[in-house]
Structure formats: structure tokens, C-alpha cells
Amino acid sequence: EAQVTQNPRYLITVTGKKLTVTCSQNMNHEYMSWYRQDPGLGLRQIYYSMNVEVTDKGDVPEGYKVSRKEKRNFPLILESPSPNQTSLYFCASSRGFSYEQYFGPGTRLTVT
Amino acid sequence: GENVEQHPSTLSVQEGDSAVIKCTYSDSASNYFPWYKQELGKRPQLIIDIRSNVGEKKDQRIAVTLNKTAKHFSLHITETQPEDSAVYFCAANFFGNEKLTFGTGTRLTIIP
């Protein structure tokens, strides 16, 4: 089954404790993205990757890191989380930025 | 910069009536315009998309129209049903940095 998976689905953590949200796709897609969704602000892109070892900043990259060492995986790293990073996070993959984005199930992160 | 504005932010429609959601984009080079539907607690999913070489596209009760001159596109849902209740997001691609930028979303409520 073609899918995008994310883990964990829910996470409550404390300020400053490093965390990683994993994302994996099995569709051989080259393009992968991370978005955060906040009420009234829609889906804002954090980082994206055009292919392995190629990543670039989206609209709200501050406080986040990513890596793309393999085509199927695109982890999101918060090295020192802060309360303003409390949000719903979605990973997505696609053939490219002008094609259908397939979203993962989402990760709800709470930073206290 | 890249910008997609979406209106209205909320919309209530009587069951059986039509709903229209409008988006404007900032870059005349954009040529891909998808619409995503997000049901409560679920991930966004593509419902229809249009490319700039056509002015209108239909899929059963859903249609999208594009006016490239005015840089706006609209989602039309006819004969609305309770299952159409959801948040809808428009998006546009931007070539300068290979991004897909989303609007802020419209919460559509169908009143039985």
C-alpha cells in the first residue's frame, strides 16, 4: 500500500529536550516536505527536499533541522524545542512540487 | 514573495446549495493550482487540481476555475452534502524556490 508514515503520532515534551519526528514514504517520491498547521494560519512549509542530500528552507524554518540521507526518509529535528513549536506537523511526499502531495497522518506536538 | 490568499475563512451553506471558495496568488509564473480537503482529525487530501493550460476542470460535483489574468482561482461545490463539511485549502506553485504554498483554509459547514 502506497503511504507516508510519521512517528510518533503524539508527543508531549519539555522545553529544550531534543526530539526527532520521523517520516518515511514507499512511493519512490523525490520531493518531500514538512508542514506545520496552526489555527488560522493554514499549512506552512518548514523545509523541503528535492532529492537525496538536497534540502531547502520553507516559510518557517527557524528552530528546525532536516536531513535527507535516503530517498524514503525525511526526519524533522527540533534540537531545542520551545512552546511556540507546539503544533500539528505533517510530512508529505510527491513526484515534485507541482504534483499531488501525499500527506502523512500528522504528529501532534506539545512543548511545555 | 510567494503568497496565496484564501477567502472566506468560514462558510456555512444549506444542504443542497452551492459553495464557492476563492484564492488569489502573487506570482504570474505559477501554473499548478490544487485544492485539498481536510476532514476533522484527518490528513489533507487532494480533491482536484488544475494547470494553467485550462480555464476550468470538473469532477462530478466539484469544479475549479482559473483566471490567469487576474491571478485567481476558485473551487465550486454544487449540491452540497453533509460529508462536504471540512476545511479546504488552495495552493499554488512557485518556481523561484520550487515550493507549493497553501492558503490559510476555509472551514465549510453544511447545514442539514
Side-chain angles (χ1 to χ4, degrees):
Chain A
E1 178 191 355
Q3 61 181 349
V4 179
T5 57
Q6 291 178 233
N7 282 292
R9 295 288 314 280
Y10 303 90
L11 180 59
I12 301 174
T13 189
V14 296
T15 299
K17 186 176 181 181
K18 181 179 179 179
L19 66 92
T20 299
V21 184
T22 64
C23 173
S24 183
Q25 51 96 2
N26 64 0
M27 293 171 278
N28 200 37
H29 285 160
E30 293 185 345
Y31 190 91
M32 296 186 75
S33 295
W34 276 103
Y35 297 90
R36 61 178 288 174
Q37 183 175 13
D38 302 288
L41 298 177
L43 292 159
R44 294 182 294 167
Q45 193 177 49
I46 303 170
Y47 268 94
Y48 63 96
S49 170
M50 300 282 283
N51 212 327
V52 176
E53 302 291 1
V54 180
T55 63
D56 210 343
K57 296 177 181 179
D59 296 316
V60 287
E62 294 77 19
Y64 304 95
K65 285 178 58 177
V66 294
S67 68
R68 188 92 181 272
K69 293 184 171 57
E70 305 165 286
K71 198 171 188 178
R72 63 183 294 127
N73 297 324
F74 190 45
L76 179 69
I77 303 157
L78 286 73
E79 295 209 324
S80 184
S82 62
N84 64 12
Q85 293 178 298
T86 292
S87 187
L88 177 59
Y89 291 86
F90 286 101
C91 178
S93 76
S94 67
R95 291 168 55 195
F97 72 107
S98 300
Y99 294 90
E100 178 177 3
Q101 306 284 309
Y102 292 84
F103 285 85
T107 295
R108 186 164 293 282
L109 172 66
T110 302
V111 184
T112 61
Chain B
E2 314 89 11
N3 191 41
V4 178
E5 292 190 2
Q6 182 172 347
H7 298 280
S9 57
T10 60
L11 179 61
S12 294
V13 173
Q14 206 72 35
E15 183 178 353
D17 288 350
S18 295
V20 181
I21 303 170
K22 300 180 179 180
C23 289
T24 60
Y25 58 99
S26 58
D27 188 353
S28 57
S30 295
N31 65 358
Y32 176 64
F33 309 94
W35 286 89
Y36 286 80
K37 176 183 181 182
Q38 185 181 29
E39 296 177 352
L40 189 63
K42 301 284 185 64
R43 71 192 81 186
Q45 291 191 294
L46 181 75
I47 53 171
I48 195 168
D49 57 12
I50 190 169
R51 298 190 185 272
S52 60
N53 56 340
V54 297
E56 183 176 5
K57 184 176 180 181
K58 288 184 179 179
D59 183 2
Q60 300 181 15
R61 297 185 297 106
I62 292 172
V64 55
T65 58
L66 173 64
N67 183 328
K68 286 217 73 180
T69 303
K71 291 190 286 187
H72 69 70
F73 56 110
S74 300
L75 177 71
H76 304 254
I77 306 174
T78 59
E79 301 172 13
T80 53
Q81 301 169 2
E83 53 264 37
D84 295 329
S85 292
V87 177
Y88 292 82
F89 293 100
C90 64
N93 64 347
F94 292 91
F95 283 90
N97 47 15
E98 291 81 39
K99 286 171 54 181
L100 188 69
T101 296
F102 286 82
T104 50
T106 296
R107 181 172 300 279
L108 174 64
T109 302
I110 306 302
I111 305 166

